[in-house]
Amino acid sequence: MIDPKLDAKLIPEGLDRCSFGKFLLWIGFLSLFVIWGVIAAVYILWKGLGVTNLNNYFGFGLWITVDLAVIALGAGAFFSGFLRYILGIEELKNVINLAVIIGFLCYSGAMMILALDIGQPLRAWFGYWHPNVHSMLTEVIFCITCYLIVLTIEYTPIILENPCLNRRPFLHYLGHNFHIFMPLFAAIGTFLSFFHQGSLGGMYGVLFGRPFALRDGIFIWPWTFFLFVLSAVASGPSFLLLILLVIEKFGKKKLVDFKVKSLLGKISGFMLSIYLFFKIIDTVAWAKDLLPKLGFTFDQMYNQVYGQWLLWTEIGICGVLPAILLMISYFREKPRVLYFAAFLTCVGVVLNRFVFTVQTLAIPVMPFDKWFTYVPNWTEWATTCMMIAIGAIVISLSYRYLPLFPQEKVLNQGKK
């Protein structure tokens, strides 16, 4: 346990944080979810995937939905890095540290859950040593692994900014030299993320036996390849904005100027509008052209449980509505409207990943098949909550002991 005196020394000079006792209570609360998840994880690894609600019909479920969702929401890391270091949008320097941490947590959390989902974690290395060169998932596993390494490298100089570490000459110069090469890492991260985000979508688009997901495309890439990329870069800045809001509410202080938040909303709204343009065209072409060619109708893709309301909610309420609110400055300049629109954007991408993961498998494709329904059980929820709780702990520790926000001191001058 950290001594309160040492805790005070670890907090960067000039930054105001809650008492050590309150911080321990918060970490203790989050640790309960971690313990719950560890119990479930041990149970799953001991007994196998049979203790979950995954089965021969639903090989993909809550875990893959969450994996795809957090990887999309974590796109704020590579997209913000691209905008900051490659395109030179200076305002984003005020949130780039948080974007890197969020990206690191999203990708490491996804890898953590995959260790359970693959069923035989002792053979996880097979994907690297015996790759299936005909599978898009081979490209995904290599890109995600490499990008996680890049994010670790980007996170390292942020950690080295801690006052106790920064006083050591070697660590000080190491962190400084890392910062010099950040544009290079941002470019590498953008390259890696573009392809694995797309290949995750392309994986669904080539499922010839699954009419809900199957799509036409250009050359070897189905349309879902590009739609997954666009939806990720649209939702990433919104998720970054929401996490920033949560930290401000818990910390009870202003960390970033509202102009920067508005810029994040504008970027998200612009990319969301582009995504929706192609998403609507894709949906109409799928319903009017592709499905009839396969011998199905639009109505056959939905039932009482997985109804058409999912589609209209995703495109309308969580798509068109937030795009309008984020693109029009009159609405975007109102904090509550901005945060509400960002929330809807994130819900939209989660819903998109859910229907592609679960509804794709629920639809009967053979004459003797019937509709199946999937509901995750406690082991799946527990391990998912564990991943979220670990992320919250890391963000809490980073916020307390690292100078994440360059504007924090200026914005809170004179406040106790």
Side-chain angles (χ1 to χ4, degrees):
M1 182 180 296
I2 299 178
D3 184 84
K5 293 182 179 179
L6 176 59
D7 173 75
K9 293 180 180 179
L10 290 173
I11 296 175
E13 184 179 355
L15 299 185
D16 181 35
R17 297 294 181 257
C18 69
S19 67
F20 187 57
K22 288 183 179 179
F23 182 69
L24 281 183
L25 286 175
W26 168 244
I27 297 299
F29 171 72
L30 294 174
S31 299
L32 295 177
F33 292 95
V34 176
I35 294 171
W36 185 39
V38 169
I39 293 172
V42 171
Y43 184 52
I44 292 168
L45 294 174
W46 183 260
K47 294 291 186 178
L49 292 179
V51 300
T52 70
N53 274 0
L54 299 173
N55 51 48
N56 289 336
Y57 281 95
F58 290 99
F60 288 176
L62 174 66
W63 286 337
I64 296 300
T65 300
V66 172
D67 271 16
L68 295 180
V70 298
I71 286 175
L73 296 173
F78 90 84
F79 194 50
S80 297
F82 171 75
L83 296 175
R84 165 68 179 88
Y85 294 109
I86 308 302
L87 298 187
I89 301 179
E90 286 297 316
E91 292 87 344
L92 294 180
K93 68 181 181 182
N94 298 301
V95 294
I96 193 65
N97 290 339
L98 180 60
V100 168
I101 294 173
I102 291 174
F104 171 79
L105 291 174
C106 287
Y107 278 80
S108 58
M111 296 289 279
M112 184 192 312
I113 293 297
L114 283 175
L116 297 173
D117 197 29
I118 58 177
Q120 293 183 321
L122 293 179
R123 297 186 179 183
W125 59 276
F126 275 36
Y128 301 95
W129 197 252
H130 304 290
N132 178 3
V133 296
H134 301 289
S135 173
M136 291 189 191
L137 290 181
T138 296
E139 183 265 333
V140 169
I141 189 173
F142 277 97
C143 279
I144 287 182
T145 303
C146 291
Y147 187 44
L148 181 57
I149 295 173
V150 170
L151 286 167
T152 303
I153 294 173
E154 292 181 330
Y155 192 10
T156 300
I158 301 176
I159 296 175
L160 296 180
E161 289 294 326
N162 178 267
C164 289
L165 298 176
N166 199 38
R167 292 191 190 101
R168 300 177 182 273
F170 173 75
L171 297 180
H172 171 79
Y173 289 113
L174 179 64
H176 176 71
N177 288 326
F178 268 129
H179 279 300
I180 293 175
F181 291 102
M182 279 305 113
L184 173 62
F185 294 129
I188 294 174
T190 301
F191 174 81
L192 294 171
S193 292
F194 174 84
F195 281 101
H196 82 251
Q197 295 279 2
S199 292
L200 285 172
M203 172 192 68
Y204 289 100
V206 298
L207 295 179
F208 294 100
R210 298 292 177 178
F212 184 82
L214 181 64
R215 291 295 191 277
D216 289 327
I218 177 172
F219 297 110
I220 62 172
W221 296 287
W223 298 124
T224 45
F225 181 100
F226 306 101
L227 291 176
F228 266 52
V229 174
L230 289 173
S231 61
V233 297
S235 60
S238 286
F239 187 63
L240 175 58
L241 180 60
L242 291 179
I243 297 299
L244 175 60
L245 173 64
V246 171
I247 296 175
E248 286 187 333
K249 292 298 182 182
F250 274 86
K252 297 180 180 179
K253 57 174 59 68
K254 194 174 181 180
L255 302 174
V256 175
D257 188 79
F258 186 76
K259 291 182 180 179
V260 180
K261 300 176 184 177
S262 180
L263 176 61
L264 287 173
K266 184 177 181 179
I267 293 170
S268 189
F270 178 74
M271 297 307 302
L272 182 60
S273 300
I274 296 176
Y275 163 68
L276 286 172
F277 175 78
F278 290 106
K279 174 65 177 178
I280 292 172
I281 292 177
D282 168 76
T283 302
V284 173
W286 168 71
K288 298 294 185 180
D289 181 58
L290 185 58
L291 282 180
K293 288 181 180 178
L294 297 173
F296 292 92
T297 65
F298 179 74
D299 289 337
Q300 287 179 301
M301 299 295 103
Y302 301 90
N303 72 345
Q304 292 83 358
V305 178
Y306 306 107
Q308 294 183 19
W309 65 271
L310 288 168
L311 176 64
W312 308 130
T313 300
E314 178 194 344
I315 295 180
I317 298 176
C318 298
V320 175
L321 176 58
I324 293 173
L325 296 177
L326 292 173
M327 283 298 293
I328 300 176
S329 59
Y330 173 79
F331 296 116
R332 191 176 64 247
E333 296 303 320
K334 299 179 183 297
R336 291 186 179 181
V337 176
L338 175 64
Y339 300 139
F340 176 66
F343 173 76
L344 289 180
T345 302
C346 294
V347 171
V349 77
V350 174
L351 189 56
N352 174 264
R353 288 351 184 218
F354 168 79
V355 296
F356 266 98
T357 299
V358 175
Q359 188 165 337
T360 292
L361 301 177
I363 299 172
V365 294
M366 300 296 288
F368 51 82
D369 275 342
K370 61 180 180 179
W371 277 89
F372 286 90
T373 303
Y374 162 79
V375 179
N377 72 358
W378 75 272
T379 59
E380 296 167 80
W381 282 116
T383 47
T384 301
C385 290
M386 174 185 67
M387 180 194 71
I388 297 173
I390 291 174
I393 290 173
V394 173
I395 290 178
S396 300
L397 291 170
S398 299
Y399 170 66
R400 186 172 183 84
Y401 298 119
L402 303 176
L404 298 183
F405 304 101
Q407 291 182 316
E408 182 179 357
K409 292 182 182 179
V410 176
L411 293 174
N412 296 279
Q413 283 180 347
K415 296 182 180 180
K416 293 183 179 181

